[in-house]
Amino acid sequence: MIDIHNHIVWGIDDGSDSELTSFEMGMIAASSGITDIIATPHCIPGRFENYCGPEFDAAFSALRSALGAEKATSRLKIHRGMEVFACDSTPEDYDNGMICCLGESNYMLVECDFDEDPWFFRDVLMALKQRGIRPIIAHPERYYFAHDSIRYLFDLVNMGCALQLDSDSIIGEFGSTCRGVALELLSSSAAQLVASDAHDQISRIPDMRAVADYVAQRFSYNYASLLFEDNPRRILNNQTLLFRGQSPNGGRARPSSRYMSDEEYWGI
Ligand SMILES: [Fe+2]
């Protein structure tokens, strides 16, 4: 498995608080079958200002050294990433080289306030797309606008954004509403990625085995494989993400949902 959303870098956001915590998270990840982690510290203006630069890179180097020094974690590959918080300055921050995509790809992991205006979020995502970025929406099932209407998310998919569910949401760790939206996104095939969004070694941990098994049994083995392994690898290779049931050489499969709307809905 490849985990594309993980707060294993210590000391720079609300994720790991120490080298030891990061090591323990790495142990959990490695022993649960994760081979690669794209580490994605929050970048939130005024709160966690983890912009690209020497300090940011040094935090990753320290993490790689710490994990590389121990046999249990030495084979875990750590890729550089960031969870970008959508705000007014996001497009400009990208232009100024302050925020980055996942690994060497042009996929950017983007989150927003839980009570964000979906129209504002959409405008930020559109501005990023105009810059050649392929946005991945972090934990779409947790935003209040998605609880009001899942249709907002289907429209973002139509716009070319990918949806990344948090593994914990699927099994109800964030409540029944989040779980309901996550299951709807799975049953409609709109979700293209699942990640741990791990923050520590105790409660939000990087072990997705049980959830992957659950998805395989409830939906299909192939869909689980796409969500946890194949599409995450495609991010590392900067390849186009696939939808459920879509072959790599085939046309674009569309999520099958009665909620799927047309472009007029967004006025574009
Ligand atoms: Fe996160």
Side-chain angles (χ1 to χ4, degrees), residues 37-236:
I37 290 175
I38 305 181
T40 51
H42 287 288
C43 182
I44 306 179
R47 187 161 176 225
F48 302 119
E49 300 198 324
N50 294 309
Y51 295 111
C52 295
E55 276 182 43
F56 191 66
D57 290 341
F60 279 79
S61 298
L63 175 65
R64 287 194 191 96
S65 302
L67 298 180
E70 299 291 337
K71 195 174 174 206
T73 51
S74 61
R75 296 180 68 182
L76 198 55
K77 289 198 202 79
I78 302 292
H79 306 266
R80 190 180 80 147
M82 179 182 282
E83 184 175 11
V84 174
F85 185 86
C87 57
D88 285 320
S89 67
T90 303
E92 202 177 303
D93 290 345
Y94 178 74
D95 293 340
N96 293 331
M98 294 164 68
I99 55 177
C100 68
C101 292
L102 300 179
E104 302 300 314
S105 77
N106 60 2
Y107 286 103
M108 182 179 285
L109 184 67
V110 187
E111 66 171 338
C112 66
D113 242 335
F114 286 121
D115 61 355
E116 187 57 273
D117 170 4
W119 302 98
F120 171 79
F121 191 35
R122 177 248 183 206
D123 285 348
V124 174
L125 294 166
M126 185 64 94
L128 292 172
K129 274 189 66 66
Q130 284 167 348
R131 287 160 169 78
I133 291 169
R134 297 190 270 193
I136 295 172
I137 299 170
H139 38 65
E141 73 282 0
R142 296 175 63 190
Y143 301 121
Y144 301 154
F145 65 76
H147 302 171
D148 291 340
S149 173
I150 201 168
R151 180 175 170 140
Y152 290 118
L153 298 178
F154 287 118
D155 287 310
L156 294 176
V157 172
N158 271 346
M159 209 178 92
C161 299
L163 305 181
Q164 173 258 303
L165 307 181
D166 278 2
S167 56
D168 281 350
S169 296
I170 298 169
I171 51 171
E173 294 290 323
F174 296 114
S176 58
T177 305
C178 287
R179 180 168 193 250
V181 174
L183 292 176
E184 178 96 44
L185 294 173
L186 289 168
S187 56
S188 61
S189 308
Q192 290 181 285
L193 298 151
V194 177
S196 77
D197 197 4
H199 278 62
D200 56 45
Q201 80 285 37
I202 296 167
S203 60
R204 296 180 69 182
I205 65 173
D207 180 348
M208 299 189 282
R209 286 174 298 183
V211 181
D213 286 347
Y214 175 79
V215 171
Q217 284 175 26
R218 178 157 178 159
F219 298 96
S220 71
Y221 174 82
N222 284 343
Y223 194 21
S225 175
L226 184 76
L227 293 162
F228 291 86
E229 174 77 32
D230 301 341
N231 271 340
R233 189 171 301 287
R234 295 181 81 83
I235 291 174
L236 290 179

